[in-house]
Amino acid sequence: MKKNHLLNPLFMMIIVCFLVISGCSKENKQDETFDQFSNLLSNQTYDLLYDLLSNESKRTITKEEFVTRYTNIHSGIEAVDINIKRVDKESDENVIPFSIEMDTVAGKLSSSPYQLHLVKEDNEWKIQWDESLIFPAMKKGDRVKVNTMKATRGRILARNGYPLAKDGEIKTVGINPEVFDKNNRKEKIQELAALLDISEETIMKKLDRNTNPIYFVPIVDMLPDDEKLKKLEDRGAEGIFVNDKLSRVYINHKAFGRLLGYVGNITAEEMEENKEKGYSTTSLIGKAGLEQVYEETLRGIDGVEIYIVRDNEKIETLAKKEPQHGQDIKLTIDSNLQSIIYDEMNGEKGSAAAVHPKTGEVLALVSSPSYNSNRYTTYVTKEEQQRREKSKFTDEVNRFSKLYSPGSVFKLVTATAGLEKGILDPEKQISINGRSWQKDRSWGNYRITRVNNQSSVNLIDAVKYSDNIYFAMTALDLGKEEFIAGAKKFGIGEPLEIGYPLGDSQISNGERLDRDILLADSGYGQGEVMVTSLNMALAYSAFSNDGNIMAPSLIQSDNQKITVWKEEAIPSEHLSTLQRAFTAVINEEGGTASAVKISGVTLAGKTGTAEIKASQVDENGTENGWFIATDLDSGRISLAVVLEDVKEKGGSHATLPIIRNTLLSYLQ
């Protein structure tokens, strides 16, 4: 009996150890199944995941259905970085609680508690699966939906708050083939093509690509005020419909195309460049102009909600990201002035810029010819396309950001530097014989020419008659260093920071004036001097602002400061002298811009002709014509206009009616 008593404790210990080992083995096997489940779901390997299901679960859903279910849901919500964590909680036997976190189109999605129910089959632990393992609240038959909440793009506003670009409504002209094809199909296609000014082939291709006769087939988008729409309304019985559509809408005038630009569908390349910024394959993105420059400010980021639907009712929101609407930008542009200038330029190639001399606000930036930005959100007619092809797509060039040789309008810079350095005596008569001149024989055959032939001229005469020789002499007397310094006092050779990319003006290639001929030519605005129309509008604005040039601005802001950019570009002691000289151009008989004189308005200004030649001896070059005028009385506007290819159009005089008519409208 004692022997049996001694064996009992040993026997009990063996039993306990066996049970512990069996329990540990069971838990280890369950952990292995959970780890397999986690890895396969994280890697979205749904076909192998199906193999972990119990036989009972497999009878409720086929492998194809299982894979399709997970694939559709996870791809629909754009699930990535699926992270599964076991939750250390007390649970029923053979149940493992866990949580899932993933990144989705609606941001971070976190779900818990999940319950992984395990059953043993053939000595293996299998998963008892149902829809709650997709999301805890899901049941069989439920659907997961993704709802996009559209964000609005910021508006582009003129200085008075008028919207130049905004999200709005356009019209889509389209066809219901089921009705349209019943009778007179060919005749209706011909009529639509003629009315919309598109090819019949365009319509037929769109109809042929359609796979379902009851689908609406869009043909073209149009502005709501398009006169052609009147002939397309109430024609549903013929299969022709006009539907509403949200789109980007622009002020309906070509004056603004190159400034505003346009938006378009994002490309794969743009998607790659902007990854991690929340764009999708259906996003619109700025393609040109302000729409492109201020894309980050204007763009709206759509909101997204992911939710479970049961019997057509929302059961639970899984994740939600509110829409972020784009911000408006308000310009300093006077939309009426912009339109007037563009219309006055009448499609001629060129640029114009206007600034407020007292504030530096950019009142107009015009590139001509331009385009109506709405053509990128509607359609292009055959007539317009033919016109563009004939003009070699000249409307694609942004001329207000383009650099031009300034010609004689640059004489203000040379005259100011000459007076400041004491090189020029404004009253002194300089003897000049004939219409051509060279410094000495080292110039070879090269000579500087002038239009006038006065035997002697002072500063007023030289400005009034635009004497190239006088200003070439002045530049040579200044020397290259003082000439460059004088140009920089007007901001020539420095970037213009207005919140829009413009060409950088230059005094010469590499800012070197190491040849006398180049220095002399630069004195009257030829040589290698290059400027934008805005550069010169700012330079002449000094006449109307006590000699100062204000820091230019294109975008208005709440905390905007008006600051001086170039203080005393025209020194105060020389301001009246130069005002007298540059008003003589307009007010005195024989002045090159006397045709611009406006009764009751005092203007200072200058004409200029810039010769564009292949070489210094080229006689067959083209000419660009300039005129700049600034209002001395009220100091409200300084306006510069440059036209290309004016040699056969009156030279710089081709610009005079543009500025006169614009100022008449703006100042009176």
Side-chain angles (χ1 to χ4, degrees), residues 103-349:
D103 291 328
T104 72
V105 68
K108 192 74 72 177
L109 190 161
S110 298
S111 294
S112 64
Y114 285 87
Q115 302 285 328
L116 190 71
H117 292 266
L118 301 173
V119 295
K120 197 165 188 179
E121 294 179 352
D122 300 326
N123 291 322
E124 291 186 353
W125 289 101
K126 296 291 187 178
I127 297 169
Q128 198 76 350
W129 186 89
D130 61 27
E131 268 79 358
S132 67
L133 285 177
I134 301 178
F135 293 112
M138 279 191 73
K139 294 182 179 180
K140 188 171 184 176
D142 289 353
R143 292 173 295 143
V144 176
K145 295 200 71 174
V146 177
N147 179 44
T148 300
M149 297 170 283
K150 294 297 292 181
T152 56
R153 189 174 178 86
R155 299 173 300 169
I156 303 176
L157 308 172
R159 65 184 295 110
N160 62 356
Y162 181 83
L164 304 176
K166 64 178 182 178
D167 287 354
E169 186 181 279
I170 61 176
K171 301 292 184 180
T172 298
V173 176
I175 291 170
N176 179 348
E178 188 177 41
V179 179
F180 188 84
D181 292 347
K182 283 182 179 179
N183 52 64
N184 302 323
R185 182 182 193 270
K186 182 178 179 181
E187 290 79 2
K188 285 185 288 188
I189 289 175
Q190 290 174 342
E191 180 201 357
L192 274 178
L195 177 63
L196 300 173
D197 193 17
I198 59 177
S199 68
E200 294 177 29
E201 184 183 10
T202 298
I203 299 174
M204 289 188 289
K205 278 185 177 180
K206 292 187 176 185
L207 290 173
D208 291 342
R209 282 197 298 265
N210 180 50
T211 58
N212 192 322
I214 66 171
Y215 286 171
F216 175 80
V217 180
I219 303 300
V220 296
D221 292 331
M222 304 173 71
L223 294 178
D225 58 356
D226 195 311
E227 288 293 318
K228 295 189 285 289
L229 284 171
K230 292 179 180 178
K231 295 184 179 181
L232 296 169
E233 295 172 346
D234 301 321
R235 296 185 63 176
E238 301 174 64
I240 300 171
F241 292 87
V242 178
N243 293 341
D244 296 334
K245 177 181 177 180
L246 290 176
S247 177
R248 194 67 165 166
V249 179
Y250 299 92
I251 183 173
N252 198 16
H253 198 297
K254 289 183 177 181
F256 301 87
R258 285 305 326 177
L259 178 60
L260 297 175
Y262 57 92
V263 296
N265 293 321
I266 194 167
T267 64
E269 183 180 355
E270 289 166 335
M271 280 283 289
E272 179 63 25
E273 290 173 358
N274 293 279
K275 58 185 176 182
E276 311 299 332
K277 291 186 179 181
Y279 288 97
S280 71
T281 54
T282 60
S283 293
L284 296 177
I285 192 170
K287 298 284 188 176
L290 289 164
E291 291 278 29
Q292 183 180 47
V293 175
Y294 288 91
E295 169 66 17
E296 290 299 313
T297 302
L298 294 167
R299 68 173 290 224
I301 301 176
D302 291 341
V304 183
E305 182 182 15
I306 301 172
Y307 56 93
I308 298 172
V309 173
R310 183 179 302 153
D311 298 328
N312 296 321
E313 289 187 12
K314 184 192 295 185
I315 298 302
E316 180 179 307
T317 294
L318 300 171
K320 188 175 183 179
K321 181 177 69 175
E322 296 293 340
Q324 299 176 36
H325 300 297
Q327 300 176 41
D328 295 345
I329 59 171
K330 191 174 185 180
L331 308 180
T332 58
I333 295 293
D334 184 315
S335 57
N336 186 51
L337 177 64
Q338 179 97 358
S339 299
I340 292 170
I341 296 171
Y342 185 84
D343 290 342
E344 288 294 335
M345 292 180 78
N346 197 33
E348 293 291 334
K349 290 184 291 184

Side-chain angles (χ1 to χ4, degrees), residues 562-602:
I562 297 172
T563 58
V564 175
W565 180 42
K566 297 295 178 181
E567 188 171 3
E568 289 203 336
I570 302 176
S572 54
E573 62 267 31
H574 302 303
L575 181 59
S576 61
T577 297
L578 288 167
Q579 284 177 332
R580 191 167 72 251
F582 283 83
T583 54
V585 172
I586 297 167
N587 293 332
E588 293 187 11
E589 185 178 348
T592 56
S594 58
V596 176
K597 186 174 181 179
I598 299 173
S599 178
V601 178
T602 306

Side-chain angles (χ1 to χ4, degrees), residues 157-159 294 327-332 361 498 553-562:
L157 308 172
R159 65 184 295 110
Y294 288 91
Q327 300 176 41
D328 295 345
I329 59 171
K330 191 174 185 180
L331 308 180
T332 58
E361 293 171 300
I498 67 166
S553 60
L554 178 63
I555 309 297
Q556 297 188 54
S557 60
D558 294 335
N559 57 353
Q560 190 164 342
K561 294 180 180 178
I562 297 172

Side-chain angles (χ1 to χ4, degrees), residues 436-464:
S436 66
W437 172 85
Q438 61 177 195
K439 178 186 175 183
D440 53 42
R441 292 181 180 178
S442 67
W443 286 18
N445 294 327
Y446 185 71
R447 306 179 73 87
I448 291 172
T449 61
R450 60 177 181 166
V451 175
N452 57 307
N453 61 356
Q454 286 81 4
S455 59
S456 67
V457 292
N458 60 15
L459 176 62
I460 291 181
D461 295 329
V463 173
K464 178 179 173 181

Side-chain angles (χ1 to χ4, degrees), residues 503-531:
D504 290 336
S505 62
Q506 66 172 49
I507 300 163
S508 66
N509 299 336
E511 290 197 5
R512 296 173 60 189
L513 292 172
D514 48 7
R515 291 175 287 117
D516 280 349
I517 290 177
L518 180 59
L519 176 59
D521 284 343
S522 301
Y524 58 95
Q526 290 281 175
E528 296 168 352
V529 181
M530 299 294 285
V531 295

